[in-house]
Amino acid sequence: MRGDHAARRLALQQLPLPLPPPPLLLLLLLLSRAGALHPDELFPYGQSRGDQLLQEGDDESSAPVKLASPLRFYEAQFSYLYVGTNGIISTQDFPRETQYVDDDFPTDFPAIAPFLADIDTSQGRGQVLYREDTSLAVLGLAARYVRAGFPRTAARFTPTHAFLATWEQVGAYEEASSRVPPSEELNTFQAVLASDESDTYALLLYPANGLQFFGTRPKESYNVQLELPARVGFCRGEVDDSKREGPYFSLTSTEQSVKNLYQTRWSYPNSSSNLGVPGVWAFHIGSTSPLDNIRPATVGGDLTKAHPSPPLEQSFGPTAAAERDYTEDNLDYYDENEGEVEYPPGEPEDAWNGHSSIDVSFQSKAEPRPLGGPASPLPQLTASDRPLYPEAESATLDPQTKEGRALVFTYNAANKETCEHHHGQCSQHAFCTDYATGFCCHCQSRFYGNGKHCLPEGAPHRVNGKVSGHLRVGHTPVHFTNVDLHAYIVGNDGRAYTAISHIPQPAAQALLPLTPIGGLFGWLFALQKPGWENGFSFTGATFTHEMEVTFYPGEERVRITQTAEGLDPENYLSIKTNIQGQVPYIPANFTVHVAPYKEIYHYSDSAVTSTSSRDYSLTLGTINQTRSYRVYQNITYEACRHSPRHPAVPTTQQLNVDWVFALYTDEERLLRFAVTNQVGPVEGDSDPIGVNPCYDGSHTCDMRAQCHPGAGVDYTCECASGYQGDGRGCVDVNECAAGSHRCGPNSVCINLLGSYRCECRSGYEFADDRHTCVAITPPPNPCEDGSHSCAPAGQARCIHHGGSTFSCACLPGYTGTGHQCADVDECSENRCHPSATCYNTPGSFSCQCHPGYRGDGFQCTPGKRPRTVCERWRENLLEHYGGTPRDDQYVPQCDDLGHFIPLQCHGKSDFCWCVDKDGREVQGTRSQPGTTPACIPTVAPPTVRPVPRPDVTPPSVGTFLLYAQGQQIGHLPLNGTRLQKDMAKTLLSLHGSIVVGIDYDCRERMVYWTDVAGRTISRASLEPGAEPETIVNSGLISPEGLAIDHFRRTMYWTDSGLDKIERARLDGSERKALFHTDLVNPRAIAVDPIRGNLYWTDWNREAPKIETSSLEGENRRILVNKDIGLPNGLTFDPFSKLLCWADAGTKKLECTLPDGTGRRVIQNHLNYPFSIVSYADHFYHTDWRRDGVISVNRDSGQFTDEYLPEQRSHLYGITAYLCTTRSIIRHLQLLLLTPGGHSLHCPQSVRL
């Protein structure tokens, strides 16, 4: 492989780096090069170099690549990367390619795109390779490039890790054809991400002749001659705190700009590079320092001074740069003091902020002239170029050092921060105090914490988190990623319960002795003896807990890192746990017993340390084995250094763990820990005293109350803040209803257990006090105030991207840059029917049928008979083929009446098949050359009696599923809960429709559906002879979810275009809008006719939620808005009383009770669910990744079956036919047992 030749070349050099040479010298070396990058000059690659090979295919994604050291992308830090077939790298798994490949940049997920296009490596057409590399050869070459491109800010950049992805000889996706060989145009390109602890740089490399195609055709528009240029750039993806997309940086927008990625021009060789090496591009893509957007290398010229055009349309102008003398002065792109981009007068300061697009189209007509003399090879790396890598040395964790994770701050009194301007950093339950060098936060009475995070004393606390690990259990490697962790702590007696789900065996059993995983929460919220404080009082909710555990006698070693990331809006502590190393194997069925123990903790200003040994026993029947381990713990946090240390808090405390419990249940796949903890003095430091029940947890106070010790064994109980009662029994105080909250005007109070939360209404944001909501001042919008530079409104539209950034796009009927647009002469494109005359008008055109023909000009037919489907299809294809098809192109054959001839063949070939009356192929009739199938006519002769609608196929009796698939509704029978896939068929064909929502009314055997293409709601009886009937045909934009209340004869639907939820009678009458505010993207909807509740989802990316109300639209409230992402599907099961949803963002199937309690995960590895329905003990959902129907067992959460229709396209809504006599009687029983009473109408064939 070519990359391996480069490996041998680099291996001869052993590429260590020296102190960096002067930046000007590097620039001159690079600028003197004019030749294109040779393929052998790519970074070394190949499977012999350790590269992994991506599976061949059209839309493949690598498994997550765990990085040895996280890298920075924009402001965030990522530990995993994914590589995709389509010329893209991401920090998360990719959606289906149709969600991003054929769309404009940016994507809605983080993306590093060296060549984003529809690439296909099937049938051996190229390969995609990737790896992480720490070799000096690779790191040295990357450092040379980066230092040369950023001589001011990266002169000493010394990468520690590099990630390489290479696309070698890959091809564009093409429709399969037996007659046309695959294109020989193949591309080769490479992306290298080089990073150290604080910065990440990207190198994009395009060798000479490496790009032979420059874009791909959209799959969804293959009957249109359209090619999308490849997208090259970076984007952060959607952000949580803004309705607009996150920042992005685009390098290409036209075919010529793609070509300029590698083409060399003598007039301006750097048009093919921003680094001075044609075909090599360098970018600063991530940093711990503020980095508003991607920053390109600028050795080839000062980009901002070349063409002072609007930020979103900045060009790499060659003329000014080509005539400039390259000196150290004019290459000073970064300010020496600030490290920020220095802009000339007239350029906006935030030119690189937000959204940036750099079009590298070459437009110069200057006289060509060579620069810098003959071409020189790439800068060679000599043996003296050894990098400044420090020698490895052992070190202990020092609480005062950055390596120990403790942050040390120095303060300048002249710039002292005060409470007046920074009190918003304190908890809402804290007060702020100014000191000589700054301010500190302190929790109010009845609360405890570090001031920035305060929790009520005596109240229970909850912890949510994720656990990942790479373990070796004995000699067996085990990996797990982001499994759930939940903990519940009873604060007033020191009990802490921890549960971790779905850790695979044998790791789960082997982790049983590691009670410190859950013991952290025991230390944090331990019961405090008088004068002593638990961990949360020091750390608050942001800290790092590091443990190193050594097992004996085998000396296996494991390292555990737990990172606390603050409190969520409901005061739940969020924490991430990572486990790395080796643990001893524990056989199945053995139980683990850990005896009570004591630990001594040492406290400094910003760190806590502890070292201890523990014994544990393994038992099974009469077998009893004793083992031990030693644990080193280091907890670092940010302490406020301005206030004097409290003299009453000792530097040493003892944690008494009086009860320890560890258990793993294979059936539930749950690993459980439970501990009871007290924190107090080291034994021997104080005289023994009588034990008060408050100190040993034997009191009888409510778990939501605080125990106050009295004399001797006396004590009193007081409900925690946010609760009320006598202390023995405490209930939540609804501060919102009682009016005791502090939410200001234009805000909404949301009650929580023991507390409340304020949320600003739409259009408002919190002031510094976090209680008052003030109006959001919208930023200037060039598209609205007229300061944009787009063509006139009748020719172009201005697209606002936030702030002062915008882009321009010509309207349909015009072509150009958006700043200048010219009329398109559609008549020259043969848009009209051959039997029509075309009339061109500015921005449009019209067609008029010739005399003797009728139609709209696009379709003209002679005579009075309307054209059939066969005739329209035939004419469209003939027009697409330019009037004369080739011998290998298919054209439908119609008879004199316009019906499909039963025998259809592919052009003039012998490949033939039979079709039914609608032109659909009859399965099993496709012939081989030399044999002609015996096709039977499918069009019945006219009769005097009406016949069923041709597109309707009534279903058989029994239970079945109905699903929507674009222009048809499918029918999938069930045998019990099993899918009868061989009996599936099309129920209803609806040409020109896109059916999304679907439901069924068992009383009248009527199916209802929404059509987003026709903007209608329709229904059809399943009786023979019935035809579809449109019942709502106005006031709709994008009707999606649909739900039928068959008892009240009412239907409900969502409209994501109008952001509305409406209802009407089943015939479309008595229509009423229930909700039209606080909705962004309403999608799924479900009804509980028994209890009179309505539920719906809103997949607003900023604040996804599931809401509920009565069927009359009263008592609207949010049911779920935590830990959901894209809740596409929703179903309510009246028998189990569970509301369940399928989430394409979190990939989970979850359920809750109708009041929002009892939430649990059924399955957390879904692909891309769209709609869901429940039946018996199963869920059935449509999936956009598999383009099929997937079944999941409700009790076990296991996937049980899937059905993939032969016609592969997206499936949308799904519902179940449940109208058996037994199910109807069960519904009636539920209704009669529900208080309130309802009027009843028995379905057909059932009497009450």
Side-chain angles (χ1 to χ4, degrees), residues 1074-1075 1092-1094 1108-1117:
L1074 295 181
F1075 306 107
N1093 293 329
L1094 186 68
T1108 182
S1109 74
S1110 71
L1111 296 180
E1112 300 298 322
E1114 299 172 347
N1115 194 25
R1116 176 184 180 181
R1117 61 197 184 278

Side-chain angles (χ1 to χ4, degrees), residues 418-439:
T418 63
C419 292
E420 180 181 0
H421 299 102
H422 298 279
H423 63 84
Q425 297 181 23
C426 300
S427 165
Q428 64 174 331
H429 302 298
F431 59 90
C432 186
T433 303
D434 284 318
Y435 295 94
T437 58
F439 74 94

Side-chain angles (χ1 to χ4, degrees), residues 27 54 97 309 356 810 930 935 1045 1197:
L27 299 181
L54 185 63
E97 69 172 7
S309 55
S356 300
C810 293
C935 301
D1045 181 353

Side-chain angles (χ1 to χ4, degrees), residues 569-645:
E570 298 184 16
N571 279 337
Y572 291 13
L573 177 65
S574 298
I575 198 160
K576 288 184 177 179
T577 301
N578 186 271
I579 309 174
Q580 305 273 347
Q582 185 176 11
V583 292
Y585 172 75
I586 297 179
N589 301 322
F590 272 75
T591 59
V592 175
H593 299 277
V594 181
Y597 57 88
K598 299 176 181 179
E599 286 181 329
I600 296 177
Y601 287 79
H602 303 276
Y603 295 76
S604 65
D605 286 341
S606 57
V608 181
T609 59
S610 172
T611 302
S612 61
S613 296
R614 299 182 194 170
D615 293 333
Y616 64 96
S617 59
L618 305 178
T619 59
L620 177 64
T622 60
I623 302 175
N624 192 321
Q625 303 174 359
T626 299
R627 300 179 183 178
S628 66
Y629 60 80
R630 188 167 181 83
V631 56
Y632 300 88
Q633 300 185 71
N634 190 88
I635 303 165
T636 54
Y637 57 94
E638 182 181 342
C640 187
R641 308 261 179 119
H642 305 299
S643 64
R645 181 175 176 85

Side-chain angles (χ1 to χ4, degrees), residues 523-782:
W523 172 79
L524 275 177
F525 304 107
L527 187 63
Q528 303 171 139
K529 293 186 177 180
W532 307 86
E533 296 185 0
N534 58 22
F536 191 81
S537 301
F538 295 92
T539 66
T542 53
F543 59 86
T544 299
H545 177 221
E546 294 180 299
M547 291 185 289
E548 186 172 283
V549 181
T550 304
F551 290 87
Y552 298 100
E555 296 191 359
E556 297 90 347
R557 184 169 298 179
V558 65
R559 187 178 181 89
I560 303 170
T561 302
Q562 295 177 287
T563 305
E565 299 179 328
L567 301 174
D568 70 6
E570 298 184 16
N571 279 337
Y572 291 13
L573 177 65
S574 298
I575 198 160
K576 288 184 177 179
T577 301
N578 186 271
I579 309 174
Q580 305 273 347
Q582 185 176 11
V583 292
Y585 172 75
I586 297 179
N589 301 322
F590 272 75
T591 59
V592 175
H593 299 277
V594 181
Y597 57 88
K598 299 176 181 179
E599 286 181 329
I600 296 177
Y601 287 79
H602 303 276
Y603 295 76
S604 65
D605 286 341
S606 57
V608 181
T609 59
S610 172
T611 302
S612 61
S613 296
R614 299 182 194 170
D615 293 333
Y616 64 96
S617 59
L618 305 178
T619 59
L620 177 64
T622 60
I623 302 175
N624 192 321
Q625 303 174 359
T626 299
R627 300 179 183 178
S628 66
Y629 60 80
R630 188 167 181 83
V631 56
Y632 300 88
Q633 300 185 71
N634 190 88
I635 303 165
T636 54
Y637 57 94
E638 182 181 342
C640 187
R641 308 261 179 119
H642 305 299
S643 64
R645 181 175 176 85
H646 198 293
V649 179
T651 58
T652 302
Q653 297 189 105
Q654 180 171 294
L655 182 73
N656 295 325
V657 182
D658 302 322
W659 177 65
V660 188
F661 176 80
L663 176 67
Y664 176 73
T665 53
D666 204 24
E667 297 80 10
E668 299 177 298
R669 299 183 66 188
L670 278 179
L671 176 63
R672 291 186 173 93
F673 299 110
V675 289
T676 300
N677 308 268
Q678 292 181 340
V679 64
V682 177
E683 290 183 352
D685 287 358
S686 60
D687 297 330
I689 57 174
V691 178
N692 188 282
C694 291
Y695 303 145
D696 62 9
S698 62
H699 59 79
T700 59
C701 299
D702 188 276
M703 68 170 56
R704 294 168 289 270
Q706 185 178 7
C707 181
H708 296 291
V713 295
D714 294 335
Y715 63 92
T716 57
C717 303
E718 181 183 16
C719 292
S721 177
Y723 296 89
Q724 60 185 2
D726 61 1
R728 261 65 177 184
C730 301
V731 295
D732 175 58
V733 174
N734 189 333
E735 294 88 351
C736 300
S740 57
H741 61 83
R742 295 174 57 199
C743 300
N746 302 310
S747 66
V748 177
C749 177
I750 299 175
N751 186 57
L752 305 173
L753 285 176
S755 184
Y756 65 93
R757 183 174 75 249
C758 304
E759 289 188 359
C760 291
R761 299 184 185 275
S762 177
Y764 292 85
E765 63 183 358
F766 280 120
D768 291 341
D769 62 4
R770 306 302 300 167
H771 298 288
T772 305
C773 295
V774 296
I776 299 174
T777 303
N781 185 341

Side-chain angles (χ1 to χ4, degrees), residues 1161-1239:
V1161 176
I1162 305 297
Q1163 170 57 246
N1164 57 7
H1165 291 96
L1166 303 182
N1167 287 310
Y1168 201 102
F1170 185 84
S1171 180
I1172 189 170
V1173 68
S1174 62
Y1175 170 68
D1177 61 349
H1178 270 66
F1179 295 100
Y1180 303 91
H1181 71 270
T1182 55
D1183 187 273
W1184 276 18
R1185 276 284 178 91
R1186 301 290 295 162
D1187 284 337
V1189 177
I1190 315 295
S1191 61
V1192 179
N1193 184 281
R1194 183 179 63 199
D1195 299 322
S1196 68
Q1198 299 297 314
F1199 295 108
T1200 58
D1201 204 358
E1202 70 174 2
Y1203 165 66
L1204 306 180
E1206 291 183 3
Q1207 178 183 341
R1208 301 303 299 275
S1209 62
H1210 283 338
L1211 276 65
Y1212 296 90
I1214 188 169
T1215 189
Y1217 176 92
L1218 304 176
C1219 297
T1220 62
T1221 302
R1222 179 178 180 182
S1223 68
I1224 293 172
I1225 293 174
R1226 177 63 176 143
H1227 270 86
L1228 296 176
Q1229 291 173 338
L1230 289 172
L1231 188 64
L1232 293 172
L1233 293 173
T1234 301
H1238 301 277
S1239 60

